[in-house]
Amino acid sequence: IAEGAEILSSIGEAETRPNKPWPLLHTTSHDTRVLCVAFSPDVCYLAAGDERGCVKIYDVEGGCRVLHTASHATWVRCVAFSPDARLLAASHFNGCITLYDAEGGWRILHTASHDACVNSVAFSPDARFLVAGDGGDKGGCIKLYDVKGGWHVLHSASHDACVWSATFSPDARFLVAGDGDGKGGCIKLYDVQGRWGVVHTALH
């Protein structure tokens, strides 16, 4: 049995035995704090980003050995795989987004820049779009990128506070973004199929 399958099997067994501790399967080290981690949908890869700007790709089924390491100038804030596991997006403290080709030796396919730290990136379930949320003391913004159409920006929307998280609904009909500062926060629900209008706002 492949090691990746053994990992999933162990997790399943732990879920059915809640009173017993989960076995530690693997430990790996970075030189500094790891800020974000993500599995690929097929559980073949694990991506990790740290505060020195390093992105590491691990081979889950191959003993979690390092397949690729990429260095960037600033913190890696978020990593996310596309639903087909072909692409990996990483966002950075300096406002940069880096897109890696999982099938092409993890080469960089595309880069994009924001005016503030990009805290969140997420692919739509159909892999057509990538949403990125940024922000700082003066507010935030979400940008929607056309994954299959040259990576141009399809839509941009401003928020009154820093955007910390953004993701798509499972049916790709809606996009939700969460923002906030020291005074409170807000979530906005966007209609993906209806020209990206805000269909609901909720305060926190």
Side-chain angles (χ1 to χ4, degrees), residues 32-33 35-36 49-55 70-78 90-98 100 116-118:
T32 186
R33 290 184 295 177
L35 302 177
C36 50
D50 65 34
E51 68 178 2
R52 288 189 179 174
C54 179
V55 176
S71 297
H72 298 268
T74 58
W75 294 7
V76 182
R77 293 291 289 119
C78 184
S91 67
H92 307 274
F93 184 77
N94 64 355
C96 179
I97 299 171
T98 308
Y100 298 93
C117 172
V118 180

Side-chain angles (χ1 to χ4, degrees), residues 58-191:
Y58 296 92
D59 179 6
V60 175
E61 294 187 350
C64 280
R65 64 186 179 91
V66 177
L67 291 175
H68 183 77
T69 301
S71 297
H72 298 268
T74 58
W75 294 7
V76 182
R77 293 291 289 119
C78 184
V79 287
F81 282 94
S82 61
D84 56 10
R86 296 175 59 190
L87 303 172
L88 170 68
S91 67
H92 307 274
F93 184 77
N94 64 355
C96 179
I97 299 171
T98 308
L99 188 76
Y100 298 93
D101 181 5
E103 294 184 334
W106 303 100
R107 64 189 177 93
I108 295 176
L109 288 176
H110 184 77
T111 58
S113 296
H114 286 231
D115 295 330
C117 172
V118 180
N119 296 303
S120 177
V121 287
F123 286 91
S124 61
D126 55 9
R128 292 179 57 197
F129 309 119
L130 175 75
V131 63
D134 69 31
D137 295 337
K138 297 181 179 180
C141 173
I142 62 166
K143 288 185 179 181
L144 188 81
Y145 294 91
D146 184 357
V147 174
K148 297 182 179 181
W151 288 96
H152 62 278
V153 177
L154 291 173
H155 183 75
S156 179
S158 298
H159 283 235
D160 294 332
C162 178
V163 177
W164 297 102
S165 180
T167 191
F168 289 90
S169 62
D171 59 5
R173 292 177 55 202
F174 301 105
L175 166 68
V176 63
D179 66 34
D181 53 24
K183 300 177 181 179
C186 172
I187 61 170
K188 289 185 178 182
L189 186 68
Y190 295 88
D191 184 357

